[in-house]
Amino acid sequence: MADTAARLYLITPVLEDASFAPRLSEACATGAVAAVLLRLKTADERTLTNLVKALAPAAQEHGTAVLVTADGMADLATVAARGGADGVHIAGDAARLRELRERLKSERAVGVGAIRTRDDAMTFGEGGADYLLFGEPRPDGSLPSLDSVVDRASWWAEIFETPCVAYAPGLDTVERLAATNAEFIALGDAVWSHPDGPAAAVTAAAGILERQEAAHR
C-alpha cells in the first residue's frame, strides 16, 4: 500500500513556440502538478534552449518540475542545462541513458519511456533512470492496452525502488492506475483538451487521487 497519494505528471503536446505557456501556467497554478514533460518539436539546439527558457517558468513558478524531450537526437543535456529545465526524458535507449546520466550526474533528472519489455525496464532502472514511464502513446498515437499498463506498473511499483509513472489516457482511468501504487499518474490530452480547461482537469484528477488515498488509510 502506498504511503501517499500518487502525484500528477503532465505531458504536453509537441510544442514549437511559447504560445502554450498560458495553458501550462493554468494547469500548474492548481498546485497539484508535480512535474511536466515539455515535448519539443525537432529544432536546432539554440532554438530548443530558447523555447525551454520561454516555457519552463510557467510551470516552475508554481513549484512544478520541468523535464524536456525532443524528437531525434537533440543534445538534451545541453538544452536542459542552458534552458533551466529540471531534467530530461528519453525513449528507451540504454546507451543514451548511460551517457545522459554521466553528463547530468545528480544535478538533473533523467526519465525513460517507450519501454518494451520487463527486461528493458530493469535495465533502465539499473542504468540510473530517475523514473520509468509506462503506457504513454506510441509515436503513431496508438496506446497499449490499459490492462497491460496496469500489469506493468503494478509489477514495477511492488518490486523496485525507482519511481514509476503510469499514463492515464483519460480521467476515467486515473483511479485504476493509481491503484497500482505508481508514484505518479501521467495525463496528456485529457488535460489539454478538457472542455472546462486544463485547471479543471487537473483539479478533477487530483481529487480522484486524494479520495483514493483517503479510502485506503
Side-chain angles (χ1 to χ4, degrees), residues 34 48-49 119 122 126 136 142 147 159-160 164 178 184 189 192:
L48 292 174
T49 299
D119 282 346
M122 289 188 285
E126 292 164 359
E136 76 275 25
S142 65
D147 286 345
I159 299 173
F160 300 97
C164 73
F184 299 91
D189 288 347
W192 312 119

Side-chain angles (χ1 to χ4, degrees), residues 15-24 40 47 50-56 58:
L15 307 174
E16 55 184 316
D17 59 45
S19 62
F20 195 75
R23 301 183 75 204
L24 190 60
L40 307 179
T47 299
N50 287 338
L51 186 52
V52 174
K53 285 181 178 178
L55 288 166

Side-chain angles (χ1 to χ4, degrees), residues 10 59 115 136 141 148 152 156:
L10 302 187
I115 300 164
E136 76 275 25
S148 70
R152 186 69 58 85
W156 185 267

Side-chain angles (χ1 to χ4, degrees), residues 73-145:
M73 294 301 290
D75 184 353
L76 291 177
T78 297
V79 170
R82 293 181 178 172
D86 301 287
V88 302
H89 180 91
I90 59 170
D93 181 330
R96 197 175 184 200
L97 169 60
R98 286 193 299 272
E99 180 219 342
L100 286 166
R101 184 76 286 159
E102 176 63 27
R103 290 177 62 193
L104 293 172
K105 304 194 183 322
S106 60
E107 295 171 11
R108 287 180 168 80
V110 182
V112 180
I115 300 164
R116 294 185 298 274
T117 68
R118 291 189 177 197
D119 282 346
D120 285 347
M122 289 188 285
T123 296
F124 302 139
E126 292 164 359
D130 290 292
Y131 68 84
L132 301 186
L133 170 60
F134 298 120
E136 76 275 25
R138 302 181 182 103
D140 65 1
S142 65
L143 288 166
S145 73

